[in-house]
Amino acid sequence: GQNIDQPTEMTATEGAIVQINCTYQTSGFNGLFWYQQHAGEAPTFLSYNVLDGLEEKGRFSSFLSRSKGYSYLLLKELQMKDSASYLCSPGTYKYIFGTGTRLKVLA
Amino acid sequence: GAGVSQSPRYKVAKRGQDVALRCDPISGHVSLFWYQQALGQGPEFLTYFQNEAQLDKSGLPSDRFFAERPEGSVSTLKIQRTQQEDSAVYLCASSLEGFGTNEKLFFGSGTQLSVL
């Protein structure tokens, strides 16, 4: 079966660092996507990891451990505009999603 | 087009009515997906097309839901005899390549369906 687990909500302060974890059990795994979704808007692509390790892209980094079925998204120097839901999506052809982690950034 | 376009943006239906939701993917994109997203939840997979072929419809909640993509571009999701539990945002997404290529998805803004 398919199972994806992420925290429901997180709160952090502007300028801080936050790590959003995702664990998954899927069949046909090909890599892991992270998407950002602001309230009332469409999800937009943030990152994709196919190999183990850390991928850095500006203020956002994403890590993958295939053997552990684990990924995290690291957001640095948080800004108010980072308040959004962050969706973990293990790459199978169906592109299934977790429930999302709602991040609130406080001033 | 520049992005994935969905219409209508909002749809209010009376219980028992039929509705049709349209998705116009990015030109040339082979794969097209429909998702249902309830408030505070992640998108739930409904169905997948590769060109005009519907390769997976395992996520459709009941036989009241039907999707098509007859010419491999525009897709329509039809819901017959709508029920209150059908109220959700329906997202369409497309990607450039087909099955197994594992590419990022481009999403439309969704259709928010409210069934009264």
Side-chain angles (χ1 to χ4, degrees):
Chain A
Q2 322 269 23
N3 190 46
I4 305 165
D5 194 30
Q6 335 177 206
T8 305
E9 271 195 17
M10 299 182 73
T11 303
T13 307
E14 201 174 11
I17 300 172
V18 71
Q19 177 174 314
I20 302 174
N21 296 324
C22 172
T23 57
Y24 60 89
Q25 288 177 304
T26 61
S27 55
F29 178 80
N30 281 326
L32 191 131
F33 294 86
W34 284 94
Y35 289 81
Q36 180 191 58
Q37 186 177 27
H38 285 100
E41 298 182 12
T44 55
F45 169 79
L46 281 180
S47 69
Y48 172 58
N49 293 65
V50 63
L51 300 175
D52 284 1
L54 188 67
E55 293 273 346
E56 297 188 72
K57 193 189 292 185
R59 291 190 300 115
F60 292 6
S61 302
S62 55
F63 171 85
L64 176 66
S65 169
R66 297 174 70 114
S67 61
K68 295 181 179 176
Y70 169 68
S71 174
Y72 68 73
L73 182 68
L74 192 70
L75 292 76
K76 303 175 191 173
E77 300 167 18
L78 280 173
Q79 302 176 9
M80 299 297 287
K81 67 179 180 179
D82 298 330
S83 292
S85 285
Y86 292 86
L87 302 166
C88 170
S89 177
T92 68
Y93 83 90
K94 285 187 185 182
Y95 295 87
I96 57 173
F97 290 84
T99 55
T101 298
R102 229 168 11 258
L103 174 66
K104 296 180 187 176
V105 179
L106 305 176
Chain B
V4 179
S5 176
Q6 291 188 246
S7 61
R9 185 72 177 90
Y10 301 94
K11 177 69 179 177
V12 178
K14 290 184 180 177
R15 193 171 56 182
Q17 275 186 329
D18 296 349
V19 298
L21 313 180
R22 177 189 168 104
C23 172
D24 203 337
I26 294 173
S27 179
H29 276 200
V30 168
S31 293
L32 186 144
F33 301 79
W34 283 99
Y35 292 90
Q36 181 189 61
Q37 188 172 29
L39 193 63
Q41 300 295 313
E44 290 282 341
F45 171 83
L46 294 178
T47 187
Y48 164 65
F49 289 87
Q50 182 168 297
N51 295 310
E52 69 279 1
Q54 188 174 22
L55 298 188
D56 191 323
K57 55 181 181 179
S58 62
L60 297 177
S62 75
D63 58 8
R64 297 185 295 103
F65 286 70
F66 171 76
E68 60 183 4
R69 193 186 184 197
E71 296 177 0
S73 54
V74 171
S75 177
T76 304
L77 176 67
K78 297 179 180 177
I79 309 173
Q80 296 177 323
R81 305 181 302 281
T82 52
Q83 304 294 315
Q84 284 187 320
E85 62 263 27
D86 300 335
S87 296
V89 174
Y90 291 84
L91 292 169
C92 175
S94 69
S95 68
L96 182 60
E97 300 294 341
F99 178 83
T101 54
N102 221 38
E103 292 197 327
K104 65 181 178 183
L105 297 180
F106 293 84
F107 283 85
S109 297
T111 293
Q112 186 169 327
L113 174 65
S114 299
V115 182
L116 306 178

